[in-house]
Amino acid sequence: MNAEIITYFFILLLAVSFVLPACYLLVLHFDNKQYSFFKKLKWTALLLLGLLLLWMTLPSFTEMISRDYQLSEGGCFLKVVDSKSTTTEVTFSETNNTFSFRDAPDLDAYDEKIPYYCQVTTTRNGEFEIDYRVYDKDTKKLLYAN
């Protein structure tokens, strides 16, 4: 399992762990005078944050569980966004779709002038990137797979 899938499930677990206790405390103890206004405000903010995270992750939940992924392929170029965090952007030449990954392949060059052939796997709705493969443009030899 790669880092992108682990991150997805971590965000989903974090959202559930925010929403359930916040709902419990707000619904059952909202009229309780023991809890101050700021404590209720804190739990409301936690509930809203959890709902935001659920809103981001739930549309892709069935696709992640059933591994119903979409494969995009074609001519592309790679760009290393930040050398410290080694974030790589894969941009397809024909469609201009850009996908971001947290690892940098060890290739000769990264630039718009150096074309590669790429395969990027995402969820069907395109919200979460799963993995990518980089091939030589001419020989289709696999250069990198994360």
Side-chain angles (χ1 to χ4, degrees):
M1 201 178 294
N2 64 7
E4 281 77 15
I5 295 174
I6 292 171
T7 302
Y8 170 82
F9 283 111
F10 176 74
I11 293 171
L12 183 65
L13 183 66
L14 196 64
V16 170
S17 67
F18 284 173
V19 168
L20 291 180
C23 284
Y24 172 76
L25 285 171
L26 288 175
V27 170
L28 294 180
H29 300 288
F30 194 75
D31 290 336
N32 193 345
K33 302 292 184 203
Q34 176 183 353
Y35 294 105
S36 67
F37 172 75
F38 292 110
K39 192 169 261 190
K40 291 176 188 176
L41 186 67
K42 179 178 73 170
W43 284 106
T44 304
L46 199 62
L47 175 68
L48 291 175
L49 179 63
L51 289 175
L52 175 70
L53 292 175
L54 280 177
W55 179 69
M56 287 172 36
T57 56
L58 278 183
S60 301
F61 182 70
T62 57
E63 298 166 4
M64 291 296 257
I65 294 296
S66 65
R67 296 179 186 238
D68 186 21
Y69 302 141
Q70 173 183 351
L71 182 69
S72 302
E73 54 188 338
C76 67
F77 58 90
L78 303 174
K79 179 180 175 186
V80 176
V81 178
D82 187 12
S83 61
K84 293 178 185 175
S85 66
T86 64
T87 302
T88 304
E89 286 185 353
V90 178
T91 304
F92 286 101
S93 305
E94 298 87 25
T95 60
N96 237 7
N97 291 342
T98 301
F99 303 98
S100 182
F101 294 94
R102 278 181 264 147
D103 63 336
D106 187 23
L107 298 174
D108 294 336
Y110 308 97
D111 198 0
E112 293 182 22
K113 298 172 185 150
I114 315 300
Y116 292 103
Y117 183 82
C118 298
Q119 290 180 338
V120 175
T121 306
T122 62
T123 54
R124 286 266 176 219
N125 59 6
E127 290 293 322
F128 290 94
E129 294 89 359
I130 306 299
D131 67 356
Y132 70 105
R133 294 173 181 258
V134 180
Y135 298 91
D136 184 76
K137 179 97 171 154
D138 301 323
T139 64
K140 301 288 194 261
K141 179 185 172 194
L142 180 64
L143 300 175
Y144 182 79
N146 72 336

